[in-house]
Amino acid sequence: MRSTNARPRPVAAPSSAAPRSAGVVKQLSRLDRFLPLWIALAMAAGLLLGTALPSLNDWLDALQVGTVSLPIAVGLLVMMYPVLAKVRYEDLGRMSDDGVGNGRFFGTSLFLSWVVGPALMFALAWIFLADQPAYRTGVIIVGLARCIAMVLVWNDIALGDRERAAVLVVFNALFQVAAYALLGYFYLTVLPGWLGFDTQGFEVGIWEVARTVLIFLGIPLAAGYLTRRIGIRRQGRAWYEERFIPRIAPLTLYGLLFTIVLLFAIQGDRITSAPLDVALIAAPLLVYFALMWGAGFGAGRVMGFPYPQTTALSFTVASNDFELAIAVSVGVFGAASGQALAGVVGPLIEVPVLVALVYVALWLRHRLTWPATLVQPVAARTSAATRTQPDL
């Protein structure tokens, strides 16, 4: 039998996939293609709304439960639900050689996403925003939220491995429920204390973060999982993926834009008095996305992964769940906080940067020599086994 430890031979990128690499931006839906523009327009609309309705803050405060206004809470939940209804929970563990079963690939992703990523954002936040505790905290919150949605878009356009990316998305969604509060408490309270950093009063308890995660991630996660399970059982996966998901997918953008409008209406005075704050917040985010993508891509090359797996790894570790980051920032610190503003700036920076990195990945695909893909999904291997016998 052919040994699976044999060194894969270098091969050129397959020409059959070449047409998919053309026109990266054109492959995005209209909503996704202009996401930075929609966000910028929502910011402007929020500032105008706050100016036109000075009593809006009082009205939102009257509908407040804890630190979250009910209208904003609705926007956050609507924003999260379609994202979690898209996750392919049924694929977790289905492929014995992919994802969880592939120790090298999965372990590398785990280490970069949940160890290197948060630590890097913590360092960048303190380097760039040492004298801005609210913005610094908000940026760290962004770094703790691993991507569970848009990464599938970037990975697909860049010709990455869909199966592995899907498995990683499932894991990130489940792991965030269990670990996000612990990581938040560690990086926002424990680690600064160990290092002797002055947090200027911005320390959070583990229950504050856990409660927010359970509400704004746990509720839509349960709803998304049940929707997917019931929908696929009754109508089939093809109907669910091709008809139902496209119908609810725009709700994420609508919820995001609705939330941004309200947040910027509340924070209008702060933003107009210090317009450079957005650029200040953007600086560590730009560096973070570039370094994390480079770390993922470089790790894939060093470990000898083929291009599709390397691409899936790089985009998974570089992307962040900005929906969860906004929810946690608002839920813990309030809609008028600097942390919430930092969370909103996250997608404004992440989307154009990752679109640019898609172009970089496709360019490197043709410029570098890649090993052949030896591992196939279970379905493909089963189909092949019925046609031919293995080599002896």
Side-chain angles (χ1 to χ4, degrees):
M1 182 178 294
R2 180 185 296 132
S3 172
T4 58
N5 294 325
R7 183 177 180 83
R9 60 184 182 277
V11 295
S15 59
S16 60
R20 291 179 59 197
S21 65
V24 170
V25 175
K26 292 182 180 179
Q27 295 183 52
L28 294 171
S29 68
R30 182 173 299 177
L31 291 177
D32 293 333
R33 188 185 312 170
F34 298 106
L35 183 56
L37 174 61
W38 307 141
I39 294 174
L41 291 176
M43 291 176 174
L47 294 177
L48 292 175
L49 181 63
T51 302
L53 297 175
S55 60
L56 178 63
N57 287 7
D58 296 333
W59 178 72
L60 291 174
D61 288 341
L63 298 174
Q64 188 164 315
V65 176
T67 58
V68 184
S69 173
L70 286 179
I72 294 178
V74 171
L76 293 172
L77 291 172
V78 170
M79 177 176 63
M80 294 292 292
Y81 166 67
V83 172
L84 293 162
K86 291 180 184 178
V87 175
R88 297 178 178 178
Y89 305 97
E90 66 275 12
D91 286 346
L92 185 61
R94 175 172 293 178
M95 294 165 289
S96 61
D97 292 315
D98 287 353
V100 178
N102 187 327
R104 294 172 68 243
F105 178 83
F106 184 77
T108 302
S109 176
L110 174 66
F111 178 74
L112 290 175
S113 291
W114 295 99
V115 178
V116 174
L120 176 61
M121 189 67 95
F122 175 85
L124 292 173
W126 276 95
I127 291 172
F128 284 92
L129 302 168
D131 58 345
Q132 298 286 343
Y135 297 156
R136 183 185 66 234
T137 299
V139 166
I140 293 173
I141 288 173
V142 172
L144 297 178
R146 311 317 303 167
C147 190
I148 58 174
M150 287 297 291
V151 64
L152 297 177
V153 176
W154 313 132
N155 176 74
D156 191 52
I157 298 175
L159 309 179
D161 188 307
R162 293 177 179 175
E163 287 76 19
R164 286 175 174 81
V167 171
L168 292 175
V169 163
V170 174
F171 174 80
N172 285 340
L174 299 177
F175 195 80
Q176 281 182 151
V177 175
Y180 190 92
L182 293 172
L183 288 172
Y185 177 67
F186 176 76
Y187 279 103
L188 296 177
T189 301
V190 177
L191 185 56
W194 287 355
L195 298 176
F197 292 166
D198 181 11
T199 60
Q200 302 181 41
F202 283 101
E203 298 180 358
V204 298
I206 189 172
W207 170 241
E208 295 176 272
V209 181
R211 179 183 57 192
T212 302
V213 172
L214 288 174
I215 294 173
F216 292 108
L217 182 58
I219 292 176
L221 176 63
Y225 173 77
L226 291 175
T227 300
R228 186 175 187 90
R229 181 162 185 172
I230 294 173
I232 291 178
R233 177 181 296 176
R234 293 186 176 181
Q235 300 291 337
R237 182 160 175 167
W239 173 88
Y240 187 87
E241 297 281 356
E242 298 171 11
R243 299 185 62 183
F244 180 74
I245 288 298
R247 290 180 181 177
I248 67 170
L251 292 176
T252 293
L253 178 59
Y254 301 151
L256 173 64
L257 296 180
F258 174 77
T259 303
I260 289 174
V261 168
L262 292 183
L263 291 179
F264 272 71
I266 293 172
Q267 303 208 39
D269 291 341
R270 170 184 295 192
I271 295 169
T272 54
S273 62
L276 293 180
D277 283 9
V278 172
L280 190 65
I281 295 169
L285 293 173
L286 283 169
V287 177
Y288 171 84
F289 293 130
L291 290 180
M292 286 301 296
W293 187 89
F297 205 89
R301 289 288 294 174
V302 170
M303 301 187 73
F305 295 149
Y307 174 82
Q309 287 83 346
T310 298
T311 300
L313 177 64
S314 61
F315 281 99
T316 301
V317 302
S319 303
N320 286 83
D321 184 2
F322 51 77
E323 296 94 346
L324 177 61
I326 293 173
V328 171
S329 297
V330 173
V332 175
F333 298 100
S337 65
Q339 292 87 343
L341 177 60
V344 170
V345 173
L348 180 65
I349 303 303
E350 178 177 351
V351 173
V353 169
L354 290 180
V355 168
L357 290 173
V358 168
Y359 281 103
V360 174
L362 292 172
W363 181 78
L364 291 173
R365 175 174 177 262
H366 295 289
R367 297 287 295 182
L368 301 176
T369 301
W370 298 93
T373 301
L374 293 181
V375 178
Q376 294 178 317
V378 163
R381 293 200 309 273
T382 302
S383 178
T386 62
R387 294 194 302 268
T388 60
Q389 294 296 324
D391 295 338
L392 299 177

